[in-house]
Amino acid sequence: MPEAFDWDILHRPSAMAMVRGQLGFSWMVLSGRLAHLTDEQYFWRPSSEALTVVRRHYTGPFRPLGSGEWVAQWPDEPDHRGPRTIAWLIAHLTEMFFERWEWTFGESRQGRADITLHGNARDAVAWLTYWVEAWQDAIAGLDEDAALTIGLSQANELDAAEPFGHVVLRLNRELIHHGSEIMTLQDLYAVAA
């Protein structure tokens, strides 16, 4: 069951309160929908070309992203516009929150390629939840000056060169954007099934 949203944060006039509020509300909405995700929805392909999560030896023309038996099919082109499954979208969100946490609050050793992915909805949602909540808890412990600190995250060159508030906002945008895709795919699955 998703944790209740802290509505009081909406009355705190600070940059970190605003970005934390946006993240908290967006995660509350998405995690509510993910609580009912089935394996059938997780792997449903809106087209036969949809990127998904597969066993390592079934990546096809794509490179594998992940360290275990289950990997995401990762395209070489950065702006690949092909359709994606909910499994792929959850894997992508998981690796983003994992990598940002690791290179901001963790040991700064592992990257997105080191993430463990899952071949079922329950475990994938639990793993995404773990990393989103770890990120939320870590940024909740920061003071207001952290939003303006350049290089607090070292996950990539962009993170290292910008104020941390932009990193948090970018992750918020990714959660909102891909969360919307996940919920749309759930709705499409419901009418297609």
Side-chain angles (χ1 to χ4, degrees):
M1 184 64 150
E3 199 171 301
F5 179 66
D6 175 13
W7 291 98
D8 289 337
I9 203 167
L10 302 178
H11 303 290
R12 295 183 203 135
S14 73
M16 285 304 286
M18 287 186 271
V19 297
R20 287 176 45 223
Q22 183 184 56
L23 173 60
F25 186 82
S26 302
W27 177 241
M28 178 189 70
V29 172
L30 178 57
S31 63
R33 290 286 296 266
L34 292 177
H36 306 289
L37 186 68
T38 66
D39 286 348
E40 290 76 22
Q41 291 171 326
Y42 180 68
F43 281 118
W44 180 68
R45 289 181 154 200
S47 80
S48 59
E49 294 85 31
L51 296 172
T52 192
V53 170
V54 296
R55 292 187 192 279
R56 181 170 294 282
H57 53 283
Y58 290 115
T59 57
F62 304 104
R63 58 191 164 98
L65 177 78
S67 63
E69 176 185 3
W70 291 92
V71 296
Q73 296 175 310
W74 206 259
D76 287 325
E77 60 275 12
D79 292 327
H80 184 270
R81 297 286 181 209
R84 299 167 283 211
T85 64
I86 292 173
W88 191 93
L89 293 164
I90 288 174
H92 177 47
L93 285 171
T94 303
E95 58 90 3
M96 288 186 63
F97 278 94
F98 161 73
E99 184 175 55
R100 286 319 186 294
W101 183 91
E102 171 71 13
W103 284 86
T104 309
F105 305 106
E107 296 179 5
S108 302
R109 291 184 313 148
Q110 296 186 348
R112 61 196 296 181
D114 299 310
I115 191 73
T116 300
L117 301 177
H118 299 280
N120 66 75
R122 185 195 72 231
D123 292 338
V125 169
W127 200 224
L128 173 60
T129 300
Y130 177 85
W131 288 111
V132 171
E133 290 178 355
W135 178 254
Q136 281 182 306
D137 291 346
I139 65 171
L142 295 175
D143 62 27
E144 195 62 28
D145 291 338
L148 303 176
T149 302
I150 295 174
L152 183 59
S153 174
Q154 296 289 314
N156 56 41
E157 289 181 17
L158 180 61
D159 285 15
E162 65 185 0
F164 184 64
H166 286 292
V167 175
V168 179
L169 286 170
R170 190 167 53 255
L171 257 65
N172 289 1
R173 287 191 304 270
E174 290 289 326
L175 183 72
I176 294 165
H177 167 70
H178 294 307
S180 297
E181 288 181 279
I182 289 168
M183 290 186 283
T184 299
L185 286 168
Q186 283 180 303
D187 294 343
L188 290 172
Y189 175 84
V191 297

